[in-house]
Amino acid sequence: MVSPELYVALRHSHLGLVSLSVALFALRGLGALSGAAWPLRPAARGLSVAIDVVLLLTGVSLAVGLQVSQAWLPVKLGWLVAYIGLGSLALKRAPTRAAKALAFVLALGCVTMLVGVARAHHPLGWFA
């Protein structure tokens, strides 16, 4: 169990990193859709990876420290895996611009659902 002070610090860090990560993904996705080269350059990719690694570490720390084992956590992780896969398609792997755009919109939808599950602490998220 984590102390209340550590919990607050981890939670605020996690929420801030979520905001940074999603904002950077949105910017990179819009850049990729417009045909810009910078979203795939090492600096942009490296920053994204660095933010996401620390984000993952804070999330794991919260889950372990709070001994979270509710039914909503695997659902949240499922949305995360879908977001990562769709984000990869949106930024690089989809063969056409239309497919990249669709993957981008679907990835942002996954984030929306992931946030809903996390906020509600319920597998149905916004629909609970």
Side-chain angles (χ1 to χ4, degrees), residues 30-99:
L30 292 172
L33 288 173
S34 71
W38 71 264
L40 295 178
R41 289 200 177 127
R45 294 175 71 194
L47 179 60
S48 184
V49 167
I51 291 168
D52 290 347
V53 165
V54 179
L55 174 59
L56 181 62
L57 289 173
T58 61
V60 168
S61 296
L62 282 167
V64 170
L66 295 175
Q67 300 170 349
V68 174
S69 62
Q70 287 94 358
W72 61 270
L73 188 57
V75 174
K76 180 182 173 185
L77 294 175
W79 284 115
L80 177 63
V81 169
Y83 167 64
I84 291 168
L86 289 163
S88 177
L89 287 170
L91 293 175
K92 185 176 182 180
R93 302 193 191 296
T96 65
R97 187 168 183 254

